[in-house]
Amino acid sequence: MEFGHVSVLLQPCVDWIVTDPDGIYVDCTLGGAGHSAAIVSCLSEKGRLIGIDQDDDALAAAAARLKETRCRVDIVKANFRQLKEVLRGLDVNHVTGILFDLGVSSYQLDTPERGFSYMHGGPLDMRMDREAQLTADTIVNTYSEEALAGLIWRYGEERWAKRIAQFIVAERKKKPLHTTEELVDVIKKAIPKGARKDGPHPAKRTFQALRIEVNDELNILDPVLEDAIEALEPGGRVGVITFQSLEDRIVKQKLAQLAKGCTCPPHMPCICGRKPVIKKPGSLLPDDAEIAANPRARSARLRYAEKL
């Protein structure tokens, strides 16, 4: 299957990130290289792009798309939590711009055998890195009822989390749940019919929660943003595209903290000695034309900042 993915907020990202055609840029979520292809088109022969992804399909598609570039391109298989190690391994001390496009790609959602989507039949997988050990199947069939309810509530903000967990555990006692269709059926049984009439697909929040747990998506955000800002040269820029409230809240709070510096209570004299490291961050939403052309852009937001 071709790696089809429409890059969200493409031009605003490139306009913000690329400040020097001779600079070094990092795409921490390379995917099919949609954003990266636009970035390298702005770079000179002296410029450099470093692309990071943990999905082998994405890496292959990106390598093919970027093979004719005039600047240097380094493609690395890694989780972006390893940003520091990747840069160290490439002997790069500071970079000009860093981009994160969080969440799951259209390709991953639309490839049934990856198991990300409640709209397609497939195995309960959801691994972005298919060499990773933990799968959605393992979570659904081995986590305790309490643990399941907790993660569906915490990562899915699902009001019926407890009931969904109860139904999953009851169903798996009869036979293990191995497919997305089986899980969707259980979720639909768990959520009362009246509550399923309005709003998103009844399985949306549970599938989001499982995907976040499988890939540990939220726990890595805070520290990697700190690493990213540290890696930027003065005047260097970071951009983060978020798609749901949990990740957006983490990014917003982290950038605000880095812009404020001091973490001491407001009524106390500063003893932490932390200084602001970025200018006041900003944010941007897709316009109506982009949302009309790509409905998946509806929930996207670009948060951005510049290093002092």
Side-chain angles (χ1 to χ4, degrees), residues 202-263:
K204 180 180 180 180
R205 297 179 190 278
T206 300
F207 270 63
Q208 173 183 298
L210 290 170
R211 192 199 82 220
I212 289 171
E213 176 77 359
V214 168
N215 299 289
D216 196 24
E217 292 176 38
L218 297 185
N219 292 325
I220 63 179
L221 269 182
D222 188 287
V224 82
L225 283 171
E226 194 127 359
D227 291 345
I229 300 300
E230 188 182 323
L232 288 173
E233 62 191 23
R237 294 177 169 187
V238 65
V240 186
I241 303 171
T242 66
F243 286 88
Q244 41 96 347
S245 60
L246 294 169
E247 64 193 12
D248 188 64
R249 196 176 305 135
I250 293 169
V251 175
K252 180 183 179 181
Q253 290 173 352
K254 189 62 184 179
L255 293 179
Q257 179 198 324
L258 292 169
K260 180 172 179 273
C262 174
T263 55

